[in-house]
Amino acid sequence: MRTAWTTVGDGEFFCPGCGGDRNYERRTGRRRLVVLGLPVLARGSAEPVVACMSCRTAFPATAADQPTTTRLSAMLRDAVHSVALSMLAAGGTDSRAARDTAVGALREAGYPDAREEQLLALLAALGADSVSVEVALHEVLTPLVPHLAPAGRESLLLLGARIALADGPYQVAEQAALASLGTALRLRAAEVERLLAGAPERR
C-alpha cells in the first residue's frame, strides 16, 4: 500500500519536530495498492498532512494551526495591552500608581515607547466604556488562550491584579473586571479567587 501525495498549499508554522518556526507544504494523498511496482487498486484518500520543509517530517494538518513563535509573541503583547486597558477602565485612570504600573507592564511586554498619554487617549476613544473594553479583551484572548499553559494564563490574571492593587485594595469594579478576565482565561472561579487573594498589594 502506497500513498501518492499532492501539494495543495504552503505556509509557515511552528514545527514540533524542529522546535521552531519553519515553512511547510500542505499535502493531500491518495492510497493505492501496488503490486510489483504497479498501482492496481485505489484505496481511498489519506488524511491531509503538513510536511516541514526542513526536517521533512509530516504532521497532522492541525499542526498548521499552532501559531509561530513570532505570531505568539505578538498575541501575548496584545493580551498584556488589553489587560492593562481593562483594568484602567475599571477604575485605574484616576490613579497615578495604577497608570504607572500599566505603562511599566506594557514596556516589559515589548512596547518600549508606551506612554500614559497613549493609554488614556485610547480609553477616551473607547469612551472609557468598560463594556467595550471587555469585548475587545475577549476578542484578543479567545485565539490566544488555547495556546497558553496554565501558568501563562495565571500570569495574565496576576498582571491585572497588580495594576488593580497599585493604588490600594480592589475596588468593586476592579473585582468584576478581574472575574471577567479569569473567565476569558478559562480559569475556574475558585482558582481566580485564590490567585487574587494571594496577589501582593503595593506598599
Side-chain angles (χ1 to χ4, degrees), residues 46-151:
E47 290 293 326
V49 299
V50 291
C52 176
M53 299 303 294
S54 295
C55 68
R56 302 296 176 179
T57 305
F59 301 97
T62 53
D65 297 333
Q66 178 67 26
T68 62
T69 54
T70 301
R71 175 60 182 150
L72 188 59
S73 295
M75 293 167 73
L76 282 169
R77 286 195 300 272
D78 289 346
V80 170
H81 193 277
S82 294
V83 169
L85 277 179
S86 70
M87 297 316 304
L88 291 180
T93 54
D94 295 331
S95 166
R96 165 65 66 180
R99 297 195 302 270
D100 287 347
T101 302
V103 170
L106 290 178
R107 290 176 178 171
E108 291 174 5
Y111 292 99
D113 298 326
R115 300 193 311 274
E116 175 184 319
E117 295 79 4
Q118 294 172 330
L119 284 176
L120 295 179
L122 184 52
L123 283 172
L126 292 171
D129 181 358
S130 59
V131 175
S132 298
V133 175
E134 182 178 339
V135 170
L137 176 67
H138 281 256
E139 289 177 349
V140 169
L141 291 180
T142 296
L144 171 64
V145 168
H147 305 292
L148 290 180

Side-chain angles (χ1 to χ4, degrees), residues 3-58:
T3 303
W5 295 102
T6 301
T7 298
V8 295
D10 56 26
E12 187 179 20
F13 78 140
F14 181 86
C15 175
C18 297
D21 297 345
R22 299 291 187 270
N23 292 323
Y24 70 81
E25 287 185 343
R26 189 183 299 273
R27 298 172 179 171
T28 59
R30 300 284 297 178
R31 287 194 290 264
R32 296 183 176 92
L33 179 63
V34 177
V35 178
L36 299 178
L38 298 174
V40 296
L41 186 63
R43 301 298 292 174
S45 300
E47 290 293 326
V49 299
V50 291
C52 176
M53 299 303 294
S54 295
C55 68
R56 302 296 176 179
T57 305

